[in-house]
């Protein structure tokens, strides 16, 4: 099977520095696993606790797989926080390292098979699992400073032990993942790799719940199913807002999708109608984009789309709305502008796109600089060109075709009614 041929693994297409980083993390996690497995006696293997945690992790992810699938896609280019840490950090407290690694393997393998339907890049999931193994090893190392049985440590010392282990678990995992993202996306600001602070609060909350779960398993294991319901309820409550945002976001560019853009544009036109104001619309198409995919590959093409999306957002006001309509076509909503202002914005966008120099990896794994991009733009304004959204979009689209027919790399404005 081609997918099993090591020569065709996408891992080898990584830049050498990133490849070395990924391999180092995975090998380090493997060595930690082997070393601890060799030293762990058979009688230390607490199978009931392992089965309970593995079952909870699988049931949890099965119940939340719809949200997690959308969130994973939308978090491309930043750390992906999920509440599986509840089960994994509980494992840090109650399982020996070999069973803890088995728990991590089950969690990530189940996610790859069931949540991401094998569509996620496998080496990324292996790398993520390896970072968690190292994070768990660091947390257990911290706990052993306090006691060989961390749950026996009570009072302020026990709080210090759990807090220190939790911070080690979070920091090692977070730092390793952010390091990989920064190395892979060197053309983006490093702060973009840090992700949202709210995502890290999810991880810290999961660590706290994991501690409660471990304590409950050691004293009242029959209450564990009740905690599973609590975790699911919190998962839905914490992540549903992110799910809603992700569901209206284009995964390749981070812009809003066509459906959400249409909804906002319709409401904006109704508002402008009431206030006797104006709304400008731009429809933009990258010229000869297929040549980029054919020359450098689709991964490079995706990186170009993200760069163009960033250029669009930086070229308009904070309250203007930029969306992706599909392929290499974008739309911009500009409330309260005149025809001259719409055209000036379109020319600014066209200039910004022409100024882009994008470093991308081609299909042979070589770094290439993609430049010389051009775009054709069609502009229309409510109510000068149309009084409803659909005719307004048709007017902008017709202007776009005029720009293309007149030689591309230009702006065309719809004729007044």
């Amino acid at each position: 099977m081609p997918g099993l041929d090591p020569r065709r693994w996408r891992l080898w297409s990584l830049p050498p520095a990133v490849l070395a980083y990924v391999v180092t993390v995975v090998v380090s996690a493997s060595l930690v696993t082997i070393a601890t497995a060799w030293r762990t006696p058979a009688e230390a293997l607490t199978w009931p606790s392992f089965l309970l945690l593995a079952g909870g992790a699988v049931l949890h992810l099965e119940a939340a797989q719809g949200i997690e699938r959308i969130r994973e896609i939308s978090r491309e280019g930043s750390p992906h926080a999920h509440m599986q840490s509840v089960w994994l950090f509980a494992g840090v407290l109650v399982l020996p390292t070999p069973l803890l690694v088995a728990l991590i393997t089950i969690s990530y393998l189940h996610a790859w098979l069931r949540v991401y339907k094998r569509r996620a890049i496998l080496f990324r999931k292996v790398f993520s699992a390896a970072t968690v193994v190292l994070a768990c090893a660091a947390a257990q190392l911290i706990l052993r400073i306090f006691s060989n049985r961390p749950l026996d440590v009570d009072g302020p010392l026990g709080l210090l032990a759990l807090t220190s282990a939790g911070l080690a678990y979070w920091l090692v995992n977070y730092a390793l993942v952010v390091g990989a993202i920064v190395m892979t996306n060197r053309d983006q600001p490093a702060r973009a790799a840090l992700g949202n602070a709210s995502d890290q609060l999810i991880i810290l909350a999961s660590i706290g719940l994991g501690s409660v779960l471990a304590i409950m398993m050691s004293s009242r294991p029959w209450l564990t199913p009740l905690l599973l319901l609590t975790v699911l309820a919190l998962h839905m409550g914490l992540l549903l807002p992110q799910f809603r945002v992700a569901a209206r976001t284009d995964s390749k560019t981070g812009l809003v999708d066509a459906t959400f853009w249409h909804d906002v544009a319709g409401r904006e036109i109704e508002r402008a109608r009431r206030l006797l104001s104006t709304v400008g619309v731009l429809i933009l198409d990258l010229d000869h984009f297929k040549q980029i995919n054919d020359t450098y590959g689709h991964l490079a093409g995706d990186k170009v789309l993200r760069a163009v999306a960033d250029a669009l957002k930086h070229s308009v006001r904070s309250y203007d709305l930029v969306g992706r309509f599909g392929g290499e076509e974008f739309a911009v909503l500009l409330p309260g502008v005149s025809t001259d202002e719409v055209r000036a914005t379109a020319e600014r966008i066209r200039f910004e796109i022409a100024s882009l120099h994008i470093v991308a990896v081609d299909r042979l794994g070589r770094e290439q600089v993609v430049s010389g991009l051009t775009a054709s733009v069609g502009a229309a304004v409510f109510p000068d060109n149309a009084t409803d959204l659909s005719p307004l979009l048709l007017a902008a689209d017709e202007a776009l075709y005029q720009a293309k027919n007149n030689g591309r790399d230009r702006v065309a404005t719809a004729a007044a009614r």
Side-chain angles (χ1 to χ4, degrees), residues 121 124 155 168 249 342 365 380:
I121 300 174
R124 289 186 180 180
T249 302
V342 168

Side-chain angles (χ1 to χ4, degrees), residues 46-77:
T46 50
W47 291 104
S49 296
F50 167 74
L51 294 174
L52 190 60
L53 290 174
V58 168
L59 289 174
H60 174 197
L61 206 51
E62 278 292 315
Q65 64 171 282
I67 287 179
E68 286 303 309
R69 187 179 301 122
I70 295 294
R71 288 185 69 243
E72 166 79 3
I73 294 171
S74 69
R75 301 307 297 166
E76 179 70 24

Side-chain angles (χ1 to χ4, degrees), residues 176-200:
L176 290 173
V177 171
V178 168
I181 294 173
V182 170
M183 294 178 69
T184 307
N185 301 278
R186 292 182 176 177
D187 57 325
Q188 295 183 7
R191 65 179 181 275
L194 299 178
N196 296 326
S198 60
D199 285 344
Q200 302 317 309

Side-chain angles (χ1 to χ4, degrees), residues 36 46 216 260 267 273 279 283 285 316 332-333 347 372 403:
T36 52
T46 50
M216 185 177 292
F260 185 73
R267 292 195 296 270
R273 199 191 311 278
V279 179
I283 297 182
D285 193 86
V316 299
V332 184
L333 184 69
E347 291 289 358

Side-chain angles (χ1 to χ4, degrees), residues 238-316:
L238 286 171
L239 302 183
L240 191 57
Q242 292 191 19
F243 172 72
R244 288 172 178 159
V245 171
R248 69 190 189 197
T249 302
D250 171 65
S251 61
K252 288 187 186 298
T253 61
L255 302 176
V256 300
D257 64 12
T259 301
F260 185 73
W261 191 95
H262 273 88
D263 290 343
V264 175
R267 292 195 296 270
E268 193 60 46
I269 285 178
E270 289 303 317
R271 177 176 177 275
R273 199 191 311 278
R274 292 194 306 271
L275 300 177
L276 301 179
S277 184
T278 60
V279 179
V281 168
L282 300 177
I283 297 182
L284 174 148
D285 193 86
L286 295 179
D287 298 327
H288 308 297
F289 181 74
K290 184 176 182 296
Q291 293 181 3
I292 295 174
N293 285 331
D294 292 343
T295 304
Y296 304 105
H298 288 278
L299 291 179
D302 290 347
K303 196 161 188 180
V304 169
L305 290 176
R306 287 195 295 272
V308 170
D310 290 338
L312 284 169
K313 289 187 290 186
H314 294 150
S315 301
V316 299

Side-chain angles (χ1 to χ4, degrees), residues 291-371:
Q291 293 181 3
I292 295 174
N293 285 331
D294 292 343
T295 304
Y296 304 105
H298 288 278
L299 291 179
D302 290 347
K303 196 161 188 180
V304 169
L305 290 176
R306 287 195 295 272
V308 170
D310 290 338
L312 284 169
K313 289 187 290 186
H314 294 150
S315 301
V316 299
R317 301 165 300 183
S318 60
Y319 54 88
D320 295 331
L321 185 66
V322 183
R324 183 181 177 216
F325 270 24
E328 61 270 25
E329 191 171 80
F330 302 84
V332 184
L333 184 69
L334 304 162
V337 294
S338 66
T339 299
D340 289 340
E341 290 170 329
V342 168
R343 187 174 185 90
T345 301
E347 291 289 358
R348 185 166 61 249
I349 288 172
R350 193 175 63 85
F351 176 79
E352 287 293 329
I353 291 173
S355 303
L356 290 174
H357 290 76
I358 304 155
V359 178
V361 177
D362 66 15
R363 56 169 55 91
L364 298 178
R366 301 171 301 192
E367 283 195 349
Q368 304 283 355
V369 177
V370 181
S371 60

